[in-house]
Amino acid sequence: MSETTTAGRRADMVRNRRLLLQAATKAFAELGTDVSMGEIAQRAGLAKGTVFRHFASKEDLLAAIMLQLVDRLIGTAERLAEADDADAALVEFMADSIETLAADRAFCEVIGRPSLDHAGVRDAIGRLCGAAEALTARAQEQGTVRGDVTGTDIVLLLAGIHQTAAPLLAAQPQAWRRYLELTLDGLRATGTRTLPHPPGDLHLGEYSRKS
């Protein structure tokens, strides 16, 4: 096989993977995790067999999409980590993240009902919790956020706020902002009561096996 032919095949593989990821990202965001591989192949304009040459299962494809999305949220948290106003940084992180979730059903399904037992996704969500922890700790140091809140609490609240507003979003796309403000009031350091349950860790693998 000539170098030109090999290079051409590699270029085709890169192009096909890009098309699959683009089609899958849109399909999962619109329809959730139940979308079929056939639907994704059709949207990408490729044969179904091509999908499986790149991703052995739908779980592997979904994991690749989730990794891209979580990395984007981590990037937002890291960008805000050194902001002078730590409280405003945490609020901006939560608002940006929830706005992302409002356009992506798959992320909420993985966070809220983690059925994807994939080490890469578990690690990425762990890193997201760590990034949220850093933002939360800085806000606590500045005295604006209650001291018993964790980064994992924040990540779980992101999906919870979106899911609370979900029935309203078709007619009122910004309805989630109301529930974010209600949640932020609960995070404030003043006028709080002791929480009745200790903080948890987001162990997706354990959760999915028990569900």
Side-chain angles (χ1 to χ4, degrees), residues 59-193:
E59 286 71 23
D60 288 339
L61 176 55
L62 181 58
I65 301 300
M66 290 298 102
L67 287 170
Q68 289 182 343
L69 179 56
V70 176
D71 281 344
R72 190 161 81 238
L73 299 185
I74 292 171
T76 298
E78 291 177 343
R79 174 177 60 81
L80 294 167
E82 301 301 323
D84 291 336
D85 188 336
D87 184 71
L90 181 61
V91 172
E92 182 177 343
F93 167 71
M94 294 182 71
D96 286 356
S97 297
I98 297 166
E99 194 159 32
T100 297
L101 300 188
D104 198 305
R105 288 183 54 185
F107 185 86
C108 286
E109 291 181 10
V110 171
I111 291 287
R113 294 183 284 106
S115 59
L116 183 62
D117 188 9
H118 190 284
V121 174
R122 294 200 307 272
D123 176 70
I125 292 178
R127 289 188 286 110
L128 177 60
C129 289
E133 180 72 35
L135 290 175
T136 303
R138 291 191 68 243
Q140 289 167 334
E141 289 170 1
Q142 293 186 5
T144 60
V145 171
R146 56 189 299 160
D148 52 0
V149 173
T150 69
T152 298
D153 290 332
I154 297 298
V155 171
L156 289 171
L157 284 169
L158 300 178
I161 293 166
H162 171 262
Q163 290 171 350
T164 298
L168 306 173
L169 292 180
Q172 303 175 55
Q174 298 297 308
W176 58 268
R177 294 186 181 277
R178 173 183 177 87
Y179 302 100
L180 174 60
E181 288 302 318
L182 288 171
T183 299
L184 290 172
D185 283 348
L187 294 174
R188 296 304 174 206
T190 58
T192 61
R193 293 179 291 179

